[in-house]
Amino acid sequence: NTAAVVSAAAFLPNTAALAADLTTYQNQVLGFQIAYPSGWEKSVQQLPDRRTITLFIDPTSGEDKTLMFYAKTPIRDDFTSLGSFGSVEEVAQSTILPKGELQGEATPSKMLSAESKKSAYYFDYVATPENQPETHYRVIFSLVQGGGTGAAGAVLMTLTIQTPESRYAEMKPMFDKMVDSYGKFQA
């Protein structure tokens, strides 16, 4: 039945359109680039400890935001590679998966994948933070020398892309393109 196929297709996300309308963000200080949807709105916010966080927010995502953000954290001078933090699996266990049980909180989560590639750690997981919907996260950890802090040491650059799990099937092609576009360059 051709009519049934056509009407069913009308309800599927247009993944080609989702993946096609990307623009590239380059951070000259941290030396990385990533593609993101051109309709997302950029916002820079100051954190209480004088760090800044840069967000790219999907304005159509409603109250439970679909967004990307990156943050940088200065680290000790003797941490010279991501391996200084441990293997990708060890980092997943110690920083990504819930530590809340130690603090009397429970945040259900499930690691879907953790891999090391392109001089970065990549994580794909689902978590349900307290009083929030189940959320799908794609996270990249990368070490950047200097990182604009004025110090000789490195910074840990964390890039997170997230959406409510209920929306992930629709957003997955876009998230895949975004994650695949991540790379370092010489500023």
Side-chain angles (χ1 to χ4, degrees), residues 4 6 14 32 39 42 48 56 58 60 66 82 84 96-97 101 129 131-133 137 142 174 177-178 181 185-186:
V6 170
N14 184 346
F32 79 90
K42 182 180 174 185
F56 299 83
D58 177 357
T60 67
T66 295
L82 283 175
S84 300
I96 301 293
L97 292 177
E101 293 155 2
N131 299 320
Q132 294 182 31
Y137 298 89
S142 180
M174 177 74 73
K177 291 267 188 198
M178 293 167 72
S181 76
F185 67 91
Q186 294 298 320

Side-chain angles (χ1 to χ4, degrees), residues 69 82 85-103 105-115 120-129 135-142 156-162:
F69 69 90
L82 283 175
F85 293 94
S87 70
V88 68
E89 293 83 8
E90 291 167 333
V91 171
Q93 288 296 318
S94 65
T95 63
I96 301 293
L97 292 177
K99 302 169 290 300
E101 293 155 2
L102 300 174
Q103 302 166 353
E105 302 169 6
T107 301
S109 66
K110 180 180 180 184
M111 181 64 62
L112 303 173
S113 70
E115 65 179 315
Y121 286 173
Y122 290 73
F123 305 100
D124 184 355
Y125 67 102
V126 177
T128 307
T135 302
H136 201 117
Y137 298 89
R138 304 280 295 270
V139 179
I140 303 170
F141 280 14
S142 180
L156 178 64
M157 196 279 298
T158 307
L159 189 136
T160 302
I161 308 168
Q162 69 184 62

